[in-house]
Amino acid sequence: MAIHGASSPLSFDSGISVFAGEEQEVTGDLSASSPNLTTEQSDTLAQRYPMAAFMGTNSFIDAPLDRLSPVGWIREYHNWTFNEIENDVLEYNRWNGYWDFDKFYSDLKAQGTMVCPVVWGSPSWLQPTHNDRPVVGDEDPYNPNSYREIAEMMYQYAGRYGSTAVDLSKMMVGPGQVAKSGLNLISYLEDWNEQDKDWEGEKAEFRPGHYAAMASANVDGHCNTMGDGYGMKNADPNIKFVMGGLAGLETDYLRSMKTWFENNRADSAWP
Protein backbone atom coordinates (compact mmCIF):
# COMPACT_ATOMS: atom_id res chain seq x y z
CA MET A 1 0.00 0.00 0.00
CA ALA A 2 1.27 3.51 -0.74
CA ILE A 3 0.14 7.02 0.10
CA HIS A 4 0.75 9.39 -2.80
CA GLY A 5 1.33 13.10 -2.43
CA ALA A 6 3.08 16.03 -3.97
CA SER A 7 6.43 15.72 -2.19
CA SER A 8 9.16 13.13 -1.86
CA PRO A 9 8.24 10.06 0.19
CA LEU A 10 9.55 9.06 3.57
CA SER A 11 9.75 5.25 3.49
CA PHE A 12 9.46 2.98 6.49
CA ASP A 13 10.03 -0.73 6.98
CA SER A 14 6.25 -1.24 7.04
CA GLY A 15 6.19 -0.80 3.29
CA ILE A 16 3.97 2.29 3.56
CA SER A 17 5.26 5.44 1.91
CA VAL A 18 4.24 8.70 3.55
CA PHE A 19 4.37 12.01 1.69
CA ALA A 20 4.30 15.52 3.11
CA GLY A 21 2.01 17.01 0.47
CA GLU A 22 -1.22 18.72 1.47
CA GLU A 23 -3.29 16.14 -0.41
CA GLN A 24 -2.74 12.40 -0.22
CA GLU A 25 -4.15 9.45 -2.11
CA VAL A 26 -4.18 5.99 -0.58
CA THR A 27 -3.89 3.09 -3.01
CA GLY A 28 -3.50 -0.62 -2.55
CA ASP A 29 -5.37 -3.75 -1.58
CA LEU A 30 -6.62 -3.28 1.97
CA SER A 31 -7.81 -6.88 2.12
CA ALA A 32 -4.43 -8.39 1.29
CA SER A 33 -2.17 -9.66 4.05
CA SER A 34 1.42 -8.51 4.21
CA PRO A 35 3.69 -11.06 2.49
CA ASN A 36 5.99 -10.90 5.53
CA LEU A 37 3.31 -12.14 7.95
CA THR A 38 1.70 -15.51 8.42
CA THR A 39 -2.09 -15.70 8.17
CA GLU A 40 -2.29 -16.15 11.94
CA GLN A 41 -0.09 -13.10 12.56
CA SER A 42 -2.08 -10.99 10.10
CA ASP A 43 -5.39 -11.97 11.69
CA THR A 44 -4.06 -11.10 15.14
CA LEU A 45 -2.92 -7.65 14.01
CA ALA A 46 -6.23 -6.99 12.29
CA GLN A 47 -8.10 -7.84 15.48
CA ARG A 48 -5.80 -5.75 17.65
CA TYR A 49 -5.62 -2.73 15.34
CA PRO A 50 -8.78 -2.65 13.18
CA MET A 51 -8.69 0.03 10.49
CA ALA A 52 -11.88 1.60 11.84
CA ALA A 53 -10.09 2.41 15.10
CA PHE A 54 -7.95 4.90 13.18
CA MET A 55 -10.84 6.55 11.31
CA GLY A 56 -13.52 9.00 12.38
CA THR A 57 -15.82 11.60 10.92
CA ASN A 58 -18.07 14.49 11.82
CA SER A 59 -21.73 13.55 11.57
CA PHE A 60 -25.33 14.29 12.52
CA ILE A 61 -28.19 12.21 13.87
CA ASP A 62 -29.81 12.01 10.43
CA ALA A 63 -26.80 10.41 8.73
CA PRO A 64 -27.61 6.86 7.47
CA LEU A 65 -25.99 4.27 9.73
CA ASP A 66 -24.57 2.27 6.83
CA ARG A 67 -22.62 5.37 5.77
CA LEU A 68 -21.06 5.52 9.24
CA SER A 69 -20.21 1.84 9.61
CA PRO A 70 -16.71 2.01 8.00
CA VAL A 71 -15.42 4.35 10.71
CA GLY A 72 -14.86 3.65 14.37
CA TRP A 73 -15.56 7.12 15.74
CA ILE A 74 -18.33 9.69 15.25
CA ARG A 75 -18.05 13.32 16.33
CA GLU A 76 -21.73 14.17 16.43
CA TYR A 77 -22.55 17.84 15.97
CA HIS A 78 -25.22 18.29 18.60
CA ASN A 79 -27.01 21.59 18.84
CA TRP A 80 -28.09 22.17 22.43
CA THR A 81 -31.61 23.01 21.20
CA PHE A 82 -31.95 19.52 19.72
CA ASN A 83 -32.98 18.57 23.26
CA GLU A 84 -33.70 21.66 25.36
CA ILE A 85 -35.99 23.85 23.30
CA GLU A 86 -37.48 25.27 26.49
CA ASN A 87 -35.57 25.83 29.70
CA ASP A 88 -35.54 22.67 31.85
CA VAL A 89 -37.74 20.76 29.36
CA LEU A 90 -35.63 18.11 27.62
CA GLU A 91 -36.71 15.92 24.72
CA TYR A 92 -34.79 12.89 23.49
CA ASN A 93 -37.44 11.48 21.18
CA ARG A 94 -38.45 14.19 18.71
CA TRP A 95 -41.32 14.26 16.23
CA ASN A 96 -42.73 10.83 17.14
CA GLY A 97 -39.39 9.13 16.77
CA TYR A 98 -38.11 10.87 13.62
CA TRP A 99 -35.18 11.86 15.80
CA ASP A 100 -34.67 9.31 18.55
CA PHE A 101 -31.33 9.85 20.27
CA ASP A 102 -31.66 6.72 22.41
CA LYS A 103 -31.99 4.62 19.27
CA PHE A 104 -29.29 6.53 17.38
CA TYR A 105 -26.69 5.96 20.09
CA SER A 106 -27.83 2.36 20.65
CA ASP A 107 -27.50 1.57 16.95
CA LEU A 108 -24.03 3.12 16.80
CA LYS A 109 -22.93 1.07 19.80
CA ALA A 110 -24.36 -2.12 18.28
CA GLN A 111 -22.30 -1.66 15.12
CA GLY A 112 -19.16 -0.89 17.12
CA THR A 113 -18.99 2.85 16.45
CA MET A 114 -17.97 5.19 19.29
CA VAL A 115 -19.76 8.53 19.45
CA CYS A 116 -18.88 11.84 21.06
CA PRO A 117 -21.69 14.43 21.04
CA VAL A 118 -20.45 18.00 20.59
CA VAL A 119 -22.89 20.08 22.64
CA TRP A 120 -22.88 23.68 21.46
CA GLY A 121 -25.05 26.63 20.43
CA SER A 122 -26.99 28.88 22.82
CA PRO A 123 -30.77 28.30 22.82
CA SER A 124 -32.98 31.31 22.14
CA TRP A 125 -34.33 31.28 25.69
CA LEU A 126 -30.78 31.96 26.92
CA GLN A 127 -29.18 34.22 24.32
CA PRO A 128 -30.67 36.02 21.31
CA THR A 129 -27.85 34.89 19.01
CA HIS A 130 -27.15 31.19 18.57
CA ASN A 131 -23.35 31.45 18.48
CA ASP A 132 -23.00 33.69 21.52
CA ARG A 133 -21.41 32.39 24.71
CA PRO A 134 -24.03 30.58 26.84
CA VAL A 135 -23.84 32.88 29.84
CA VAL A 136 -27.01 33.79 31.69
CA GLY A 137 -28.02 37.25 30.47
CA ASP A 138 -25.11 39.67 30.69
CA GLU A 139 -23.33 37.91 33.54
CA ASP A 140 -19.54 37.79 33.81
CA PRO A 141 -18.11 35.35 31.21
CA TYR A 142 -15.10 34.72 33.48
CA ASN A 143 -17.37 33.38 36.25
CA PRO A 144 -18.15 29.63 36.05
CA ASN A 145 -21.56 30.19 37.64
CA SER A 146 -22.54 32.28 34.61
CA TYR A 147 -22.53 29.02 32.63
CA ARG A 148 -24.90 27.19 34.99
CA GLU A 149 -27.49 26.48 32.28
CA ILE A 150 -25.12 24.56 30.01
CA ALA A 151 -23.49 22.91 33.05
CA GLU A 152 -26.96 21.65 33.93
CA MET A 153 -27.43 20.37 30.37
CA MET A 154 -24.12 18.49 30.57
CA TYR A 155 -25.26 16.88 33.83
CA GLN A 156 -28.54 15.81 32.22
CA TYR A 157 -26.91 14.37 29.11
CA ALA A 158 -24.22 12.48 31.02
CA GLY A 159 -26.86 11.28 33.48
CA ARG A 160 -28.95 9.78 30.70
CA TYR A 161 -26.33 8.37 28.37
CA GLY A 162 -23.35 7.78 30.64
CA SER A 163 -22.51 4.62 32.55
CA THR A 164 -23.73 5.69 36.00
CA ALA A 165 -27.39 5.56 37.02
CA VAL A 166 -28.72 8.80 38.50
CA ASP A 167 -31.89 9.12 40.57
CA LEU A 168 -34.61 9.49 37.95
CA SER A 169 -36.21 12.28 39.95
CA LYS A 170 -33.22 14.40 38.91
CA MET A 171 -33.72 13.75 35.19
CA MET A 172 -35.67 16.59 33.57
CA VAL A 173 -37.88 15.54 30.66
CA GLY A 174 -40.76 17.13 28.81
CA PRO A 175 -44.31 15.86 28.36
CA GLY A 176 -44.45 12.47 26.67
CA GLN A 177 -40.75 11.83 27.29
CA VAL A 178 -39.44 8.97 29.45
CA ALA A 179 -36.83 9.67 32.12
CA LYS A 180 -33.90 7.28 31.85
CA SER A 181 -30.41 7.08 33.31
CA GLY A 182 -27.23 5.04 33.05
CA LEU A 183 -27.89 3.86 29.49
CA ASN A 184 -24.13 3.45 28.97
CA LEU A 185 -24.20 4.64 25.37
CA ILE A 186 -21.62 7.44 25.41
CA SER A 187 -18.24 7.75 27.11
CA TYR A 188 -17.26 11.22 25.87
CA LEU A 189 -18.84 14.68 25.75
CA GLU A 190 -17.31 17.56 23.83
CA ASP A 191 -17.82 21.07 25.14
CA TRP A 192 -18.67 23.57 22.34
CA ASN A 193 -16.99 23.93 18.94
CA GLU A 194 -14.42 26.42 17.65
CA GLN A 195 -14.82 28.56 20.74
CA ASP A 196 -11.85 30.73 19.75
CA LYS A 197 -13.52 31.98 16.56
CA ASP A 198 -13.33 35.76 16.18
CA TRP A 199 -15.47 36.33 13.09
CA GLU A 200 -18.95 36.26 14.64
CA GLY A 201 -18.69 39.09 17.14
CA GLU A 202 -17.25 39.65 20.58
CA LYS A 203 -20.00 37.74 22.39
CA ALA A 204 -19.38 34.63 20.29
CA GLU A 205 -15.65 34.52 20.98
CA PHE A 206 -14.39 32.70 24.05
CA ARG A 207 -11.16 34.12 25.35
CA PRO A 208 -9.13 31.42 27.13
CA GLY A 209 -10.44 32.50 30.53
CA HIS A 210 -14.03 32.42 29.25
CA TYR A 211 -13.70 28.89 27.97
CA ALA A 212 -11.81 27.70 31.05
CA ALA A 213 -14.61 29.04 33.25
CA MET A 214 -17.25 27.23 31.20
CA ALA A 215 -15.23 24.01 31.10
CA SER A 216 -14.79 24.14 34.86
CA ALA A 217 -18.55 24.45 35.27
CA ASN A 218 -19.37 21.80 32.70
CA VAL A 219 -16.95 19.17 33.98
CA ASP A 220 -17.67 19.12 37.71
CA GLY A 221 -19.68 22.20 38.63
CA HIS A 222 -16.49 24.17 39.27
CA CYS A 223 -15.10 21.74 41.85
CA ASN A 224 -18.65 21.04 43.12
CA THR A 225 -19.18 24.64 44.25
CA MET A 226 -22.27 25.22 42.08
CA GLY A 227 -24.55 22.80 43.91
CA ASP A 228 -26.26 19.57 42.88
CA GLY A 229 -27.10 18.90 39.23
CA TYR A 230 -24.23 20.70 37.47
CA GLY A 231 -21.36 19.22 35.48
CA MET A 232 -21.06 15.98 33.52
CA LYS A 233 -18.83 14.17 36.02
CA ASN A 234 -21.26 14.81 38.85
CA ALA A 235 -23.73 12.65 36.91
CA ASP A 236 -21.23 10.11 35.59
CA PRO A 237 -17.71 10.13 37.08
CA ASN A 238 -16.55 7.84 34.26
CA ILE A 239 -17.43 10.14 31.38
CA LYS A 240 -14.55 11.87 29.59
CA PHE A 241 -14.55 15.63 29.01
CA VAL A 242 -13.45 16.56 25.49
CA MET A 243 -12.29 20.11 24.92
CA GLY A 244 -14.02 21.83 22.02
CA GLY A 245 -11.96 21.84 18.85
CA LEU A 246 -10.18 25.16 18.26
CA ALA A 247 -10.42 27.03 14.97
CA GLY A 248 -6.71 27.90 15.22
CA LEU A 249 -3.54 26.21 16.40
CA GLU A 250 -2.67 28.54 19.24
CA THR A 251 -0.85 26.74 22.05
CA ASP A 252 -0.95 30.00 24.01
CA TYR A 253 -4.70 29.49 24.27
CA LEU A 254 -4.09 26.24 26.17
CA ARG A 255 -1.41 27.79 28.38
CA SER A 256 -3.78 30.61 29.33
CA MET A 257 -6.49 28.08 30.17
CA LYS A 258 -4.05 26.19 32.37
CA THR A 259 -3.18 29.41 34.19
CA TRP A 260 -6.88 30.12 34.78
CA PHE A 261 -7.40 26.65 36.24
CA GLU A 262 -4.39 27.03 38.52
CA ASN A 263 -5.63 30.37 39.81
CA ASN A 264 -9.37 29.71 40.05
CA ARG A 265 -10.04 26.05 40.80
CA ALA A 266 -9.74 24.69 44.33
CA ASP A 267 -7.64 21.80 43.03
CA SER A 268 -5.58 24.11 40.74
CA ALA A 269 -5.85 21.37 38.11
CA TRP A 270 -6.98 21.06 34.53
CA PRO A 271 -10.37 19.35 35.03
Side-chain angles (χ1 to χ4, degrees):
M1 183 174 70
I3 303 176
H4 299 287
S7 305
S8 299
L10 302 174
S11 297
F12 299 90
D13 291 341
S14 63
I16 298 177
S17 298
V18 181
F19 293 75
E22 292 184 358
E23 296 183 2
Q24 291 81 35
E25 176 187 357
V26 179
T27 61
D29 184 357
L30 296 178
S31 65
S33 299
S34 168
N36 299 321
L37 298 176
T38 66
T39 300
E40 181 179 355
Q41 289 173 322
S42 180
D43 289 345
T44 300
L45 286 172
Q47 293 168 2
R48 188 179 302 171
Y49 306 111
M51 191 63 179
F54 297 91
M55 300 174 64
T57 185
N58 293 322
S59 190
F60 291 89
I61 185 176
D62 55 2
L65 278 177
D66 61 335
R67 301 288 181 89
L68 303 178
S69 60
V71 301
W73 182 272
I74 297 300
R75 183 175 181 259
E76 180 226 347
Y77 278 113
H78 194 101
N79 194 307
W80 182 355
T81 55
F82 286 175
N83 303 106
E84 196 172 4
I85 301 172
E86 299 178 34
N87 190 15
D88 294 345
V89 179
L90 277 77
E91 298 183 13
Y92 300 95
N93 184 318
R94 304 287 308 279
W95 305 302
N96 295 317
Y98 182 74
W99 277 8
D100 186 336
F101 286 96
D102 293 3
K103 185 177 187 304
F104 178 59
Y105 297 143
S106 294
D107 289 346
L108 286 174
K109 184 174 182 177
Q111 74 176 18
T113 304
M114 297 287 289
V115 59
C116 175
V118 185
V119 179
W120 71 286
S122 292
S124 59
W125 51 262
L126 183 64
Q127 287 291 335
T129 303
H130 178 71
N131 287 307
D132 284 358
R133 295 183 297 263
V135 296
V136 176
D138 292 323
E139 293 186 15
D140 181 5
Y142 289 100
N143 185 343
N145 194 59
S146 300
Y147 299 97
R148 56 190 175 275
E149 293 293 350
I150 190 170
E152 184 179 60
M153 170 60 176
M154 290 295 194
Y155 178 94
Q156 292 293 316
Y157 221 74
R160 188 178 184 91
Y161 294 117
S163 62
T164 303
V166 173
D167 187 335
L168 291 182
S169 66
K170 297 181 178 181
M171 296 289 96
M172 300 184 298
V173 294
Q177 302 289 310
V178 179
K180 300 178 183 179
S181 184
L183 295 179
N184 196 27
L185 297 177
I186 65 173
S187 299
Y188 303 87
L189 265 176
E190 185 170 342
D191 190 11
W192 217 256
N193 179 60
E194 294 187 343
Q195 58 271 14
D196 59 330
K197 60 182 177 290
D198 59 4
W199 57 87
E200 291 183 350
E202 187 277 330
K203 288 188 175 181
E205 180 183 1
F206 287 80
R207 298 190 180 279
H210 299 159
Y211 186 77
M214 183 174 75
S216 189
N218 288 350
V219 174
D220 60 7
H222 192 48
C223 291
N224 301 308
T225 62
M226 295 172 63
D228 191 27
Y230 298 99
M232 63 182 76
K233 284 187 173 290
N234 287 329
D236 179 15
N238 302 313
I239 205 160
K240 305 294 191 302
F241 162 77
V242 179
M243 178 180 165
L246 297 174
L249 297 175
E250 297 291 339
T251 56
D252 285 345
Y253 195 97
L254 304 179
R255 294 190 183 96
S256 295
M257 284 179 60
K258 183 174 183 293
T259 297
W260 189 96
F261 293 139
E262 290 171 346
N263 292 333
N264 292 279
R265 282 180 58 88
D267 58 7
S268 299
W270 189 291

